[in-house]
Each structure stands twice: as C-alpha cells, then as structure tokens.
Amino acid sequence: MEYKETIIKGVFVIEPKVFADQRGYFMEAWKQAEFNERVYPVDFIQDNESKSSRGVLRGLHYQKGDLSQAKLVRVIKGRVVDVAVDIRRSSPTFGQYVMEELSEENKRQLFIPRGMAHGFLVLSDEAVFTYKVDKPYAPQSEAGIRWNDPTLAIKWPVEGMEVLASEKDLRQPFLKDAELFD
C-alpha cells in the first residue's frame, strides 16, 4: 500500500495495490503492522457500514474528549467525496479541510485521526461506505459542524444536485460556535 500524508498532519490517503485480471481483483485492504509503521499504531475495535443514495450528505461529525475516534474510511460500492476538517485549535491547519474522492474503482482509503470533523457526499446513484473506528460510538460525546459553514467554505460538488441531509445535520452549529479540540 502507498501512504500519502495530506496537508493536514495525520490525515493520510492510502492507495492499496490492486491485482486485477479477467477474473476480477484482489487487494489487501488493511494490514495492521504496515499501518502501525507508516502512520502510527491504532487499535481499531469496530467496523461500520452505511448505504446511501445520490445527494446524501452525512456530516460533519465527530466525538469529543476521550471518546473521540480515529477512522479509516473507504467505499466498496459507488462513489463519494469524503472530507476531513481539522478542528484542533492548536493545529497550524485549524479550520482547513482535505477532500478526496473515494470509489469502488479507485479503492482509495482515507485515514482520519482524532481531532477531525468528518463527512461525505454521495456522487453515485448509491454508495456503500465502510469505516473502522478505534472507539465505540458514544451518543453523549457526539458533536458536529454545519456542512455548509461559510467559514470552512468547503467546495462540495453539489451543483445540479439535491442535497439530502438529516434534520440533525442541518441544525449543527457553525465552527465558531462548536465545541472543539484544544
């Protein structure tokens, strides 16, 4: 696998080696020892999966405090644009974001460390999104930032698309009012 650190320290795009022929393909999607060496040791404890249709925008989500999560995300069906926003106040890239297209074709993965808000927009008719996390979901610790916060100015590719977001996501605070990491 190839590991490319992005402009935000700790956020990596991971490109697996794919061996394809007329029968299909084979790839290693996760290798603990290699990940620990190339990124840093993470003990993933749970795999999650979601299915969404075109225009669904999930995020920007995170968990606060000791229950914050590191995530390794990928798409196994369809195509999404995935976003990680640095919400660590002490970071030189505070308020900046990384956007990466993840798809069943490119098989890229995005590693998102703790201290990031995360979201994605479905570009295909349907997408199956899967992710590993290092802490369990904790409703008492969940938080979010409005996906269209003008301060973040995320360039979501929504032109000509009806965005479908949950009521909860539509009510999230803007960055300036959110509870963030120090």
Side-chain angles (χ1 to χ4, degrees), residues 117-137:
H118 172 251
F120 66 91
L121 170 69
V122 178
L123 303 175
S124 54
D125 288 341
E126 180 178 272
V128 178
F129 187 87
T130 182
Y131 53 104
K132 296 179 171 307
V133 294
D134 70 340
K135 296 277 184 159
Y137 169 68

Side-chain angles (χ1 to χ4, degrees), residues 101-127:
E101 184 175 306
L102 307 178
S103 71
E104 66 184 298
E105 287 85 22
N106 70 26
K107 299 184 180 14
R108 285 186 196 123
Q109 299 178 61
L110 192 64
F111 174 68
I112 304 160
R114 296 177 185 168
M116 303 287 137
H118 172 251
F120 66 91
L121 170 69
V122 178
L123 303 175
S124 54
D125 288 341
E126 180 178 272

Side-chain angles (χ1 to χ4, degrees), residues 35-104:
F35 188 90
N36 289 355
E37 180 183 314
R38 301 294 302 275
V39 179
Y40 62 82
V42 175
D43 293 320
F44 291 119
I45 62 161
Q46 184 175 318
D47 283 356
N48 299 321
E49 184 175 299
S50 68
K51 179 180 171 184
S52 305
S53 57
R54 179 177 169 76
V56 168
L57 197 148
R58 296 183 186 267
L60 299 161
H61 303 145
Y62 60 97
Q63 288 190 178
K64 303 173 289 190
D66 293 338
L67 296 172
S68 65
Q69 297 175 316
K71 300 175 182 177
L72 180 63
V73 302
R74 69 187 182 112
V75 169
I76 55 176
K77 179 181 181 187
R79 188 167 65 102
V80 308
V81 57
D82 197 78
V83 172
V85 179
D86 189 345
I87 57 171
R88 303 167 294 187
R89 289 184 200 273
S90 60
S91 171
T93 54
F94 172 74
Q96 293 181 35
Y97 68 91
V98 169
M99 179 181 285
E100 188 70 31
E101 184 175 306
L102 307 178
S103 71
E104 66 184 298

